Every structure is written in C-alpha cells, then in structure tokens.
Amino acid sequence: MTLLQIVADTSALAKGAATVPQSLSLLDLLVKGGWIMIPLGILSVISVYLMIERYIVISRASKVDPSFMANIKNMLMSGKRDAALSLCHSTNTPIARLLEKGIKRLGKPIKEIESAVENTGKLEIYKLEKNLSYLGIIAGIAPMFGFVGTIAGVIRIFYDISLHNDISIGLISAGLYQKMITSATGLVIGIIAHIGFHYLNTMIDRVSFQLESTTVDFIDLIQEPTEDK
C-alpha cells in the first residue's frame, strides 16, 4: 500500500511539473504591457538616437590639436594672417571657427573683436545643445507614460473582476502584468534619458570652458604688439 502511495505521489508530482509554465521571455513581458508600450518604445528609440548622435558631435567638438593654438600664434606674430585664416578654415572645430571670426576682425577695436568672438562661442555652444532639450523632456514624460500604463492596468483589473465576479489571481494577473511592466519600462527609459542628458551637458560645459579659455588667449595675443610699442 505504501509503495502504491509513493508511485501515486510521484505521478502527481510529474504531472504538476509538466504543467509548470516556462519562464517568459523579455519580448513576452513587453507584449503584456499593452498599448502603452508603443509610445514608450518610440521614446526609447528617440532617446538612444539623441544620446548617440549628440555624443558623437560633442566628442568631435572637444578634440583640439595641442599645437593648433601655437601655430595660429606663430602665424599671426609673423604677419601671416591669410595662412592663419586658411588653417582655421580647414579645421572643423568650434575653436577654429571662433579664432577665424576673430582674425577676420583684426584691425578693429578690441571691444568689437572680443564681442564677435564671444558671440561666435555662444553660437557654437547653441549648436552643441541642439535637440538636447528633447532628451530632458523624454526623461520627464517617460515615467508619466509608465504611470498611465499603471492606471490602465488597475482599470483592467477592476473591469475583469466586475465582469466575472471573481478575484482569483489568474483573473487579475493580466492587469497586474500591464501595471508593473509599464511602470518599470517608463522608469528605466526616464533614468537612462536623465543620465544621458546630464552627462552630455557636462561634456558641453567642458567645450564651453575651452572656448572661453581660447577667447582669453586670443585677446591677449592680439594685444601683445600694442603692448610692445
């Protein structure tokens, strides 16, 4: 009798194990998030694109040849203004464009040269910040979309309960899936966009410091002949 009971228990366990569902894949979980996952997916694609595109642009802008400023200085001190302009024109960096603007203004009052150089620097920073505000917006609204999904999941739970007059876990699981998945997805997208936004702004601050330092060096450079006289 005991042997039969063991065999029966073993069979029951085997049947129970056979009915255990397999673990869900990431795609299956995302699908269970419902329609709100579509705008969240669009926001994630936009944020990744903006972060990569801005990172490449800002990284290129921050790369400066250590000998560039020294070459410009030597050319200007030697009276080779056209050569200095040619070097600036062939160098595709914010600092080169800033110096090119200043060199073109040589011979005019210092205040006018300084103003032109500073305005060029502001324009270059504005170019680097292009579309970066959208990343900040995504960082703010992605969790809100996740919250909308949470509300939709709760509504679905109560609707299913009222429809079937039952509160079993199997009945409310679909709403719970939608509630938790959309909240988690919105938060993850928001966190990544927030980190990317502030990291890229930190990179822009470094470029801004380089431009300000170059402006000071350039103004000092064009004043040297006057001071020597």
Side-chain angles (χ1 to χ4, degrees), residues 56-64 92-95 97 128 207 210:
I56 293 173
V57 171
I58 298 170
S59 295
R60 289 175 178 173
S62 62
K63 292 180 180 178
V64 181
N92 187 23
T93 63
I95 288 179
R97 288 188 286 271
L128 296 180
V207 177
Q210 290 177 348

Side-chain angles (χ1 to χ4, degrees), residues 5-228:
Q5 184 66 34
I6 292 173
V7 172
D9 292 342
T10 304
S11 299
L13 289 173
K15 290 180 181 179
T19 59
V20 174
Q22 296 180 350
S23 59
L24 291 173
S25 66
L26 179 60
L27 180 60
D28 292 332
L29 286 174
L30 294 178
V31 170
K32 288 181 179 294
W35 64 269
I36 200 67
M37 297 300 290
I38 296 175
L40 284 173
I42 295 173
L43 290 178
S44 66
V45 171
I46 294 174
S47 62
V48 170
Y49 169 78
L50 288 176
M51 284 188 290
I52 295 175
E53 188 267 341
R54 285 294 91 189
Y55 178 80
I56 293 173
V57 171
I58 298 170
S59 295
R60 289 175 178 173
S62 62
K63 292 180 180 178
V64 181
D65 185 358
S67 62
F68 177 76
M69 189 63 188
N71 292 334
I72 294 294
K73 181 177 180 179
N74 292 333
M75 290 176 183
L76 292 178
M77 296 297 290
S78 303
K80 300 177 181 178
R81 178 179 173 180
D82 292 338
L85 282 173
S86 179
L87 178 59
C88 291
H89 186 72
S90 62
T91 306
N92 187 23
T93 63
I95 288 179
R97 288 188 286 271
L98 181 145
L99 291 176
E100 183 179 6
K101 180 66 70 173
I103 294 171
K104 288 180 178 179
R105 294 292 191 277
L106 288 178
K108 295 185 178 181
I110 292 295
K111 288 294 183 181
E112 184 176 340
I113 298 174
E114 187 175 2
S115 177
V117 171
E118 288 177 353
N119 289 336
T120 302
K122 292 177 182 178
L123 180 60
E124 292 297 330
I125 294 299
Y126 175 77
K127 290 179 181 178
L128 296 180
E129 292 175 344
K130 180 183 177 182
N131 296 331
L132 199 58
S133 59
Y134 294 125
L135 195 59
I137 293 173
I138 292 174
I141 66 173
M144 294 182 185
F145 272 100
F147 182 70
V148 171
T150 298
I151 298 300
V154 172
I155 293 173
R156 181 175 181 178
I157 290 172
F158 281 101
Y159 175 76
D160 290 340
I161 291 174
S162 65
L163 193 64
H164 297 87
N165 196 25
D166 185 17
I167 56 173
S168 64
I169 190 65
L171 182 65
I172 66 175
S173 60
L176 289 174
Y177 268 124
Q178 182 174 353
K179 176 179 180 294
M180 302 306 294
I181 291 170
T182 54
S183 297
T185 304
L187 285 173
V188 169
I189 295 173
I191 289 171
I192 294 175
H194 183 78
I195 293 173
F197 176 77
H198 285 282
Y199 180 75
L200 292 173
N201 270 300
T202 301
M203 294 178 66
I204 291 175
D205 289 340
R206 295 195 192 112
V207 177
S208 178
F209 175 77
Q210 290 177 348
L211 293 175
E212 291 176 1
S213 178
T214 302
T215 300
V216 173
D217 292 341
F218 179 73
I219 297 300
D220 289 343
L221 173 62
I222 62 178
Q223 285 182 315
E224 284 183 9
T226 303
E227 293 174 355
D228 291 340

